[in-house]
Amino acid sequence: MAAATSSFSLNSFAQLNPPSKSPSLKSRGQYRVQRRRICAALTTPPTKPAPENTELPIKDIPGDYGLPFFGPISDRQDFIYNQGRDEFFKSRMQKYGSTVMRVNMPPGPFISSDPRVVALLDGKSFTTLFDVSKVEKKDLFTGTYMPSVDLTGGYRILSYLDPSEPNHEKLKRLLFQLQTSTRQRVIPEFNASYSAMFDLLENELATKGKVVLNDANDQAAFNFLGQAWYGTNPTQTELGKDGPTIIGKWVLFQLGPIMTLGLPQFLEELLLRTFPLPPFLIKGDYQKLYNFIYRNSAELLDSAQQMGISRDEACHNLVFATCFNTFGGMKILFPNIVKQIGRAGVKLHQLLAEEIRSAVGSNGGKITMAAIEQMPLMKSTVYEALRIEPPVPFQYGRAKKDLVIESHDAAFKVKKGEMLFGYQPFATRDPKIFDRAEEFVPERFIGEGERLLKHVLWSNGPETESPTVDNKQCAGKDFVVLVARLFVAELYDSLEIEVTTSPLGASVTITSLKRATSKVV
């Protein structure tokens, strides 16, 4: 019953703009013709269902951890500097002939006392990490180390709680309430924030010839969340325009041990991986984020008190959910979407623009939930972006009991207490599940392709399932999918881009931009 009452899906947002009447036979016919035309234009590739293995050979888990201290340091150097993430795992998969292996995960000494993990690098074994009857999620959000609770007001935030802990249910319900109580503001506030952002980009592009998307996106995302969830523009408070910068510094204090900033290697090792950055250095800035949310969430904090959560603890959780989880997701996801669509070429740009204009036009010139449901290519494009570059690449869990974990080819015994690690980009680009797995195929999830959505795992669970108080799936799963669709709907008729890497995701420079001729209103 608890799961049923607390699940939160895109259906919740449908009440924003319910269709005034059922679509006519003519509209349904046009929609079917549109879908066939999209599929014909882009040629949906054949897909490979994952094989159903019932009896697999039991094998020892290959790999080793090396010498104490030196083994973890060596793996860290390869992972961060010498090879990079993908090559680090690919080389070991080739060496061991297995997608399940033993390896050390950063940061290792001196930040992490035990960096040893069993890595799960395929779409089948990876899903073990979602089963809370098999794995514990306590204090594993960032992996083999945990940042100081002084960075979150002295509290272990929801992301670090296992579902078996009493506060997990209360705090997750609070996040569901945040979204349901503010859903009527989501579409209009998103449109306002991102229309202003694109107007700014157009002006800069006209004068400079190119413009970086990321900083503008960060400000638009934070303004949108402030307006949609808290009814206040953060730039008109003590935060001014510093919100995204403060969040960036605060996140660095938490994720620094597993990041690279592009500094000389010896300097990064000294500053980020020798000892934790002291929380007092960010305390004043963090207090500004706290104050902004505390002053604009009175009703929500009242509800938290009624559930048995102090206003202070509830507010620190809202700061984390807003600034780390949601803002952080939009910061990474939106430039990645632009990168993938920009590289896909003019044909996709044209088909998306035509589909979006048609759906918006048939819904009174406005973007509504009904209009979104008439955009199969746009929806599939968003799912494909989440598949090929999931915003959160790492997942962790500790075995609650002795387990047998299956890959596609073999089964492996894991002992109680061992740390399990999953590298999600390999799970969602598993060639035994997806054809052309390394390619961005925007129409992949149209029609029959929808059955593959169960293998889209970005939210710490399958896309076909919903977050509940009993699991660790992202409380904002459907909110993120919705705003990603709104972002694509707001975009353009065409664009040209340049892409470089950044500490978090891609850095995208726009060199040419043509806005949609029928803007979302």
Side-chain angles (χ1 to χ4, degrees), residues 217-218 327-337 389-392 504-506:
N217 174 67
D218 289 353
F327 170 81
M330 295 171 71
K331 175 183 178 69
I332 297 172
L333 177 60
F334 287 6
N336 282 348
I337 288 176
E389 283 190 298
V392 180
L504 293 173

Side-chain angles (χ1 to χ4, degrees), residues 37-66:
R37 183 173 60 82
I38 289 169
C39 292
L42 289 172
T43 314
T44 304
T47 56
K48 296 179 181 179
E52 294 294 333
N53 294 315
T54 55
E55 294 183 3
L56 292 169
I58 300 290
K59 295 184 177 180
D60 291 334
I61 301 174
D64 64 79
Y65 303 116

Side-chain angles (χ1 to χ4, degrees), residues 334-398:
F334 287 6
N336 282 348
I337 288 176
V338 174
K339 178 182 76 173
Q340 296 295 344
I341 293 177
R343 288 176 169 176
V346 175
K347 181 179 287 187
L348 174 63
H349 302 171
Q350 292 174 341
L351 288 170
L352 281 173
E354 291 171 6
E355 180 183 80
I356 293 166
R357 283 201 300 271
S358 175
V360 171
S362 64
N363 284 270
K366 295 182 179 181
I367 183 70
T368 63
M369 291 304 302
I372 285 177
E373 291 306 315
Q374 295 170 21
M375 303 178 193
L377 177 59
M378 185 266 279
K379 290 192 296 180
S380 178
T381 298
V382 168
Y383 286 135
E384 179 70 346
L386 287 164
R387 178 196 74 85
I388 202 164
E389 283 190 298
V392 180
F394 308 141
Q395 294 290 343
Y396 288 86
R398 192 175 298 279

Side-chain angles (χ1 to χ4, degrees), residues 350-477:
Q350 292 174 341
L351 288 170
L352 281 173
E354 291 171 6
E355 180 183 80
I356 293 166
R357 283 201 300 271
S358 175
V360 171
S362 64
N363 284 270
K366 295 182 179 181
I367 183 70
T368 63
M369 291 304 302
I372 285 177
E373 291 306 315
Q374 295 170 21
M375 303 178 193
L377 177 59
M378 185 266 279
K379 290 192 296 180
S380 178
T381 298
V382 168
Y383 286 135
E384 179 70 346
L386 287 164
R387 178 196 74 85
I388 202 164
E389 283 190 298
V392 180
F394 308 141
Q395 294 290 343
Y396 288 86
R398 192 175 298 279
K400 286 185 174 180
K401 55 187 177 182
D402 290 350
L403 301 175
V404 174
I405 296 178
E406 292 186 351
S407 68
H408 295 297
D409 308 309
F412 305 88
K413 290 183 178 180
V414 172
K415 293 182 180 179
K416 177 181 178 180
E418 288 197 272
M419 180 78 86
L420 306 178
F421 159 80
Y423 185 51
Q424 188 173 158
F426 278 20
T428 55
R429 300 200 301 258
D430 186 336
K432 293 191 176 181
I433 295 175
F434 296 101
D435 255 12
R436 296 162 59 188
E438 296 291 334
E439 297 181 36
F440 179 74
V441 181
E443 74 281 12
R444 189 184 297 276
F445 299 104
I446 293 178
E448 289 297 314
E450 289 185 12
R451 64 189 176 83
L452 290 170
L453 284 174
K454 66 181 178 181
H455 301 293
V456 177
L457 312 172
W458 71 272
S459 63
N460 199 16
E463 189 60 34
T464 50
E465 297 182 8
S466 297
T468 74
V469 297
D470 301 313
N471 64 27
K472 288 300 291 182
Q473 193 162 21
C474 173
K477 164 182 172 282

